[in-house]
Amino acid sequence: MRHLLAVFRTYEVTLFGIVLLAVVVIESVTPRFLTTANLNALMVSGVVLAVVAVGEAFVIIQGGVDISVGAVLGVASIIVAKALLAGWPPIAAMACGMAAGMALGSLNGIIVVRGRVPAIVATLGTMSVWSAVIFYLLNGEWIDGIPDRYSWLSVQIGPVPWVGALGLILGCYALAAATLSWSRFGRQVYGVGDSTETARLTGIRVNRVSFWAYALAGLFVGLAAVIYVTVDANIEVDVGTSIPLAAIAACVLGGVDITGGAGNPIGVLLGVTALTVMENGSVLVGVPSLYEQAVVGGLIIISVLVWSVRRGRRPAAWVGG
Amino acid sequence: MGGWLMRRWGTTVGSAGRETALVLLILALGGTLTALTPYFLNLASLLNLTQFTAVLGLLGLGQFMVILGGGGGIDLSCAGNLNLSGVLMALLVQHHVSTGLAAIIAVLAGIALGTVNAVVVVVARVPALIATLATYYAYDSLALGVSGGASLSPFPSGFAWLGQGYTFGVPNQVLFVLLPVLVLVWVALRWSLFGRSLYAVGQSERAATLAGVRVARVRFWTYVIMGALAGLAAVVSNSWFMSATPDVGDVYLLESIAVVVLGGIDIFGGVGRASGFILSLILVTLIESGLQLANISSEVQLGLLGLVLIGAVVINQLLNQARFRETVARGKARLLERLAPKLTRNPTTSGREQRVL
């Protein structure tokens, strides 16, 4: 019995409780929260983030970071959109998008692993390169009128919209959870994130693991691109600029250690939910949308602080040394 | 004597090599630009060019010190800091605060924002990467919110003196802001206790602690100084454009890191000279103006700079590999031997052997 009850002391349950609490509070303050229209808006902002976040989780758990996911999303979305507009079958467009995402993710991986460029610098560089590419491809305009070929994503069952997308997300997370918990690659990801040198000494091919983490993230971003063009039928030049921070925030909120080596997909999913609910709720409650990112930034810092304390990292003694 | 020579050359190959490479690149780029437009190579237009170095130079100097301190130190929020401080200054002037006072408050705001970073990174031990990423978005978002997303231009025409005026042909923002700060930082890094502590902390946190250096305090101050420089850069930027835009600083994040990395400063800290930084600043400005001349849009410019950044770090890492350095050293030894065999007689045996015999 004690073992059963122990599950309630996990962070994930606490987070779930916080999300429920937030929902209750927001719903009581403004009754527009639990309406189908608002759930629609929630899903729209959340589904793309959810898929990107699981990819980002792989990268962060193995000890890196990828802030180029937004720009990669943009490039992949443009590719999918152009394919659909040109009349290609939706499966082909989806495959193209995912291949593009994986290619760009792999490029990140090569730069980090082979070029030995720190992840932040590498992905900052690639982010600016892909942003320039997006700017060049869009050429001052924007893509709209993308045909909705993935209507199975937006199928609505009862009051819940986007059930297809939800299923896709749950599938992704189930896959990620299975990989991380039960496959050798997954365990190696944790090992590399915990301590690169120790992992290398135990015979783990650190370079290979890191590379595949970045490639996998790119693959997920490619999938997210398909959802993106369904959810948002036009692509503008600032596509994906708020995604990297939100993805990292979701991971951190979900208990992924930013220094690597800890975290699990359930937490990330809860983090995505918490983030989406809080962003949506803050807009409903009246926080000006221009301040949204400030809220996200604050949330990141608070959750990292909370996690630092939980993990027993004591703060530096005040500047006395 | 030969041995002494070889040892001197061997120890300077790391840093002098970097500076030599930068100077060569600058000359090459300058040459290309002169070939492309005959108006380039005259003193007036060159001095005119320096106006683009001020804001970048200030932010880059702050970034230089933060990165030098090591421990994964970096400040991704400098651009957001600039945005917010600049917007705050404009708002103050809009509400009839004198420009001078508003400028001082802007710098103080920069210091405050930098101190937030310092507390979160150094005291709360949140990794600099995630902390300054979060504060970047927070500051940027606040700047957007506070300014309503619009550009603010409340400054009196006299304010343009700083950003658009020239004295003796040199832009005022360079002469009266960038140069003094550069000199100050250079002196501090070379001759002050703080500077030496900073290098020590960057090279080995443990050794520095054992030597009695207060690592946390040193790193704390780097973030505060970065904040002050960002506030100062905001004032310069406002004067330069005669307006405050909530996203004016965004381009400088990538550029400031690129300048630091190109200048031979190790991204992990502890290594880097101000001279390398200055040369790199000149080089990056040349690159930017060259691209501007070629009519390349600023987004594409940023993309190219991203490529330059990645390339610079890759080259840095390559050069730092011990194997590479050994190969270079051996190659140099062989070259020296071939050119001047008398100089390279084995130093340990020549003197002593003769005495014994």
Side-chain angles (χ1 to χ4, degrees), chain A residues 116 120 245 248 290 294 315-316, chain B residues 122-123 129-130 137 141 317 321:
Chain A
R116 302 204 292 168
I120 182 63
L245 185 77
I248 296 176
L290 288 173
Chain B
V122 178
V123 178
L129 191 71
I130 189 78
Y137 276 87
S141 164
Q317 298 289 54
Q321 267 186 298

Side-chain angles (χ1 to χ4, degrees), chain A residues 65 111 116-118 120 124 128-129 132 135 241 245 248 258 290-291 293-294 297 301 304-305 314-316 318-320, chain B residues 122-127 129-130 133-134 137 141 144-146 214 217 254 257 267 297 299 302-303 306 310 314 317 321:
Chain A
V65 73
I111 295 174
R116 302 204 292 168
V117 180
I120 182 63
L124 186 66
S128 63
V129 172
F135 177 80
T241 43
L245 185 77
I248 296 176
I258 197 68
L290 288 173
Y291 288 111
Q293 304 284 19
I301 294 186
V304 176
L305 281 172
R314 285 152 60 229
W318 175 240
V319 290
Chain B
V122 178
V123 178
R125 289 238 186 110
V126 176
L129 191 71
I130 189 78
L133 187 65
Y137 276 87
S141 164
L144 261 180
V146 157
R214 283 150 153 199
R217 181 175 288 196
L254 187 69
I257 299 179
I267 198 84
S297 67
E299 284 83 1
L302 218 56
I310 293 177
V314 171
Q317 298 289 54
Q321 267 186 298

